[in-house]
Amino acid sequence: MSMINIHDILETINMIKEENLDIRTITMGISLYDCAGDDIQTVCDRIYDKITTTAERLVPVGCEIEKELGIPIINKRVSVTPISLVGGKYSPEDYIRIAHTLDRAAHTLGINFLGGYGALVQKGFTDNARNLIDSIPVALAETERVCSSVNVASTKAGINMDAVALMGQIIKKTAYLTKDKESIGCAKLVVFANVPEDNPFMAGAFHGVGEAETVINVGVSGPGVVSSAIRRAGNCDFSALAETIKKTAFKITRMGQLVAAKASERLGVPFGIVDLSLAPTPAVGDSVAHILEGMGLEKCGGHGTTAALALLNDAVKKGGVMASSHVGGLSGAFIPVSEDAGMIDAVTCGALSLEKLEAMTAVCSVGLDMIAVPGDTTAETISGIIADEISIGVANTKTTAVRLIPAYGKSVGDSVEFGGLLGYAPIMKLSEYSCADFIARGGRIPAPIHSLKN
């Protein structure tokens, strides 16, 4: 064995033991189109049987690969066809029965989340999409492991402002119905523009309409590894810094590709994509904010933060694309407040505001993620925050999203505690000025001129 191989092995071991490198999730996508029907009990039975049969070996195989390679695989998950697209005429009450079925299937499989309880309404509502969205607050309050996403805009279609207005109300209701658990229902609900249909990360994962019958998508994560690499690179210029991040992202993604290939082979399911997003956790040494501070910022949120994040995101994508032929999902840097120890610190000390986070989302992977706001925030204000964020995605032909928690009974100065990967979050201050008349206009904001690319 050559010294280079020994060095590579030792480097990987160090990444795992000292720098929190892990496979964040193996997510199996499952089509539910063949579960359609008008008798809701039959549909629920078909859905339960299909998920539990198809993904029966997902958790054991994930654990096997974990032991064999010595790489932590934190989550094994399932995503399904957006439930509003599973054919049949269903009432909101019918959809709640389906949500319970999904939750039961997740418990049977031993997975922590199941994604796909959602709808695509970027251009308008079908009756089923409207009924499903109306059911979301109760569905998330009465289930533990079901995640929901709604796509309200795309660069091609523009922004469905009726859907944006409705989602403000839905988020408020979800917060109220889960108020005894820090409004945690809202942590399982995300509003998108340009939603990716092969995303393995929750809460936005679903099995897209153009996907195969089943597929394996893997999400890798290594903020701690990137932080350490930047620290070792020392006081170099930006070109050298970008090169360091690219090389590190390549190594991280290569590991994800290996795990994805093994999982695909053993489960007999086609390999879809590797999502090379840097997904932080509340653990010390696993923070995207600390990567940015390692570049020379005194605190994440200070001037220069957006530029630092842009460099990071671009270098991660360039390195990852070289490591896997099929990169997809979101692929870049996540900036969820509650799930990132450095972000929490930056908000707590006043360095990071909602407005600065919004600016950062123009250059990162997702959007305003896992942000707790005062419980008395109006539905219209929530819709205004969604509209602002979604417009960044539409104008820039990129995915953006909002996962906002109006924590019932909490105000600025308080915090909410979710535990586990969801972490905890200080309540962030919002503008006191109303956008109610703006949101009340309704209709659609037209697609931007650059959507006409044909």
Side-chain angles (χ1 to χ4, degrees), residues 21-26 71-75 218-221 252 255-257 259:
L21 179 61
D22 59 54
I23 299 295
R24 186 54 49 87
T25 181
I26 296 178
I71 297 167
I73 300 173
I74 307 301
N75 300 299
V218 166
V220 297
S221 184
I252 294 168
M255 192 181 73
Q257 176 81 11
V259 170

Side-chain angles (χ1 to χ4, degrees), residues 25-32 47 50-52 54-59 75-81 102 105-106 109-117 145-147 199-207 214-217:
T25 181
I26 296 178
T27 301
M28 180 183 283
I30 302 173
S31 170
L32 298 184
I47 287 173
K50 176 130 193 216
I51 293 170
T52 54
T54 307
E56 184 179 18
R57 294 175 54 242
L58 176 65
V59 172
N75 300 299
K76 295 85 178 171
R77 294 168 171 169
V78 166
S79 63
V80 297
T81 304
L102 296 173
L109 293 172
I111 58 175
N112 71 330
F113 286 127
L114 188 152
Y117 192 78
R145 305 185 185 196
V146 172
C147 290
N199 164 27
F201 287 101
M202 299 295 169
F206 67 91
H207 189 64
T214 53
V215 71
I216 285 290
N217 296 322

